[in-house]
Amino acid sequence: MTRYTELAERYGTPLYVYDLDRVAAARQDLLDALPEPFSLFSAVKANPHPEVLRVLAEGDGRTCRAEISSLGELAAALEAGFDPAGILYTGPGKTDGELHEALAAGVGLFSVESPTDLEHVGAAAVARGTEADCLLRINSASASAATSIRMTGRPSQFGIDAETLGEVLPRLRAVAGTRLVGAHFFPLSNASDEDSLVEEFRNTLSVAARLEREHGLPLRFVDIGGGFAAPYAVPGERPVYEKLRERLEEALDETFPRWREGSVRFACESGRYLVGDSGSLLTRVVNVKESRGRTFVILDAGINTFGGMSGLGRLLPVAVQPEGPEQAARIADGTGLSASLVGPLCTPGDVLGRQVDLPDVRVGDLLTIPNAGAYGPTASLLMFLGRPAPAEVLVRGGAVVSATRIEHRRVEVAPSGDRQPVGGGPA
């Protein structure tokens, strides 16, 4: 019996298994790949499980800061031990209530997407008798990498269009309750290779330096975004960027010659890279059926279990690995099939992969979706059709340290004036 089959027998399926040692290794690999003064933000949305976040927050030396975009993520980050003064609050739709609670909790930095977003932050800060440090998120007009998921250079709810900055900057400087301390960029996700990643960072640094030079954009802190690659729901190894530190230092020497003196502080951010290869999703075959010449393998895990990227059209196709000696023997026989992997939901959209190459699977077989540590249950249609959430088991040093399941229940909603702030304490 393999480790996964043992855990599936104990906790049932669908089941997520997260290896916290792999989370710690990914964090260390990425910190080692960045110049020593760089900060590293962990995107809480990638995996907000409290035990995963604790690993990312731990350490006496260089460690992660939290990047959040909701009060729920703020509560998770605080519970995990992140310093609120180091938290970056992002997102295009921050409400007045969220801003008041974030400021009350001590959040130290806000990324703002528009002049009105900055004004909302300023109004909340003035109401609390304080000032908020803010980064202007910049939607650059240019880009470098030709592949990967583009996050800039087009009309977007994210960021201030770079070509309009000179026009709007006087208005931004005048917003009471705010201090403009720098810029935030996020041009791409999942760069195809290290060269593409470096060229995108180099382009971002050039844009930041030009905006400072041409428009007087205050730059005490610059978040140059992410783009670190990691396999997602398919076999593969997370890359280790052996030359990134050296090449980033060269780019910084060219664009910000005094950066080594601390004239500007820099940061990167990552979600999937930090947590993706820590997780595996275990699922059992419920049924195998034929329909008009096509084979459908029906699993007990669907888009309600692993559906965040599927809903965005960014997951297909997953790959699965069989578990157990009987299945291994069938693989050795060389028998297999090409089939659609579908979940148990009553919707034709519950598809995890089409024309996926599989061994000769049978009802009851246990399959593993690898590299599934990011965008799992909390990025899925978790409540659809009322099915229970998958269990989540965390291991460290080979031992189970936690086994939980998210439960949903209806509660009475108090009038807004009676609601408790984050943490349940006084405002």
Side-chain angles (χ1 to χ4, degrees), residues 71-415:
L71 292 181
E73 289 187 343
L74 173 57
L78 296 177
E79 180 185 355
F82 284 100
D83 179 2
I87 290 176
L88 172 63
Y89 203 118
T90 68
K94 310 176 197 70
T95 67
D96 293 339
E98 289 172 345
L99 291 169
H100 281 282
E101 292 202 32
L103 288 164
V107 170
L109 193 60
F110 294 83
S111 173
V112 297
E113 314 274 1
S114 64
T116 48
D117 191 22
L118 180 66
E119 289 163 359
H120 290 157
V121 175
V126 168
R128 295 201 61 84
T130 187
E131 283 188 317
D133 285 346
C134 296
L135 305 178
L136 300 182
R137 180 161 175 174
I138 303 298
N139 181 6
S140 300
S142 61
S144 176
T147 59
S148 75
I149 301 169
R150 297 247 39 96
M151 300 287 288
T152 193
R154 62 186 67 176
S156 174
Q157 70 268 45
F158 300 112
I160 297 169
D161 296 341
E163 63 272 22
T164 69
L165 184 63
E167 177 185 345
V168 301
L169 193 55
R171 173 184 172 185
L172 301 176
R173 287 180 178 276
V175 176
T178 66
R179 288 185 294 265
L180 299 185
V181 299
H184 178 200
F185 298 82
F186 200 96
L188 83 166
S189 176
N190 202 35
S192 59
D193 52 49
E194 185 168 344
D195 287 341
S196 296
L197 181 67
V198 170
E199 286 308 307
E200 195 64 61
F201 283 156
R202 184 181 293 274
N203 183 68
T204 293
L205 291 168
S206 297
V207 171
R210 178 176 58 80
L211 294 176
E212 179 187 41
R213 183 175 62 253
E214 295 180 358
H215 303 299
L217 175 64
L219 289 185
R220 289 164 40 199
F221 190 98
V222 179
D223 181 348
I224 63 174
F228 306 102
Y232 186 62
V234 294
E237 297 297 320
R238 171 179 52 78
V240 175
Y241 296 105
E242 297 180 350
K243 298 181 179 180
L244 179 60
R245 177 188 285 230
E246 177 183 351
R247 297 174 71 181
L248 259 181
E249 289 176 347
E250 292 173 355
L252 287 163
D253 286 337
E254 295 173 9
T255 51
F256 292 91
R258 297 181 55 204
W259 75 275
R260 296 178 188 271
E261 303 170 17
S263 60
V264 186
R265 293 179 295 130
F266 294 91
C268 286
E269 57 191 90
S270 178
R272 178 168 50 182
Y273 184 94
L274 291 171
V275 298
D277 78 339
S278 72
S280 297
L281 173 58
L282 312 185
T283 177
R284 287 200 185 276
V285 177
V286 176
N287 198 3
V288 180
K289 69 162 289 190
E290 301 290 331
S291 176
R292 292 177 176 162
R294 290 179 56 191
T295 302
F296 292 82
V297 174
I298 301 166
L299 309 174
D300 60 7
I303 57 175
N304 60 318
T305 303
F306 191 51
M309 293 297 139
S310 178
L312 296 175
R314 288 164 53 183
L315 177 56
L316 298 172
V318 302
V320 294
Q321 300 169 329
E323 294 289 332
E326 182 181 343
Q327 291 167 277
R330 280 187 245 139
I331 294 174
D333 290 340
T335 57
L337 69 157
S338 179
S340 291
L341 286 174
V342 302
L345 305 182
C346 293
T347 170
D350 191 14
V351 180
L352 296 183
R354 296 186 177 92
Q355 301 304 110
V356 177
D357 291 330
L358 299 168
D360 183 19
V361 296
R362 300 173 187 173
V363 173
D365 282 351
L366 181 67
L367 304 178
T368 301
I369 299 175
N371 290 312
Y375 303 109
T378 55
S380 302
L381 301 178
L382 203 54
M383 294 184 68
F384 189 47
L385 291 182
R387 286 184 172 269
E392 296 173 278
V393 170
L394 292 99
V395 298
R396 197 164 199 178
V400 174
V401 298
S402 171
T404 59
R405 173 182 282 114
I406 298 171
E407 295 285 355
H408 290 283
R409 60 189 180 90
R410 294 190 183 276
V411 297
E412 295 291 329
V413 178

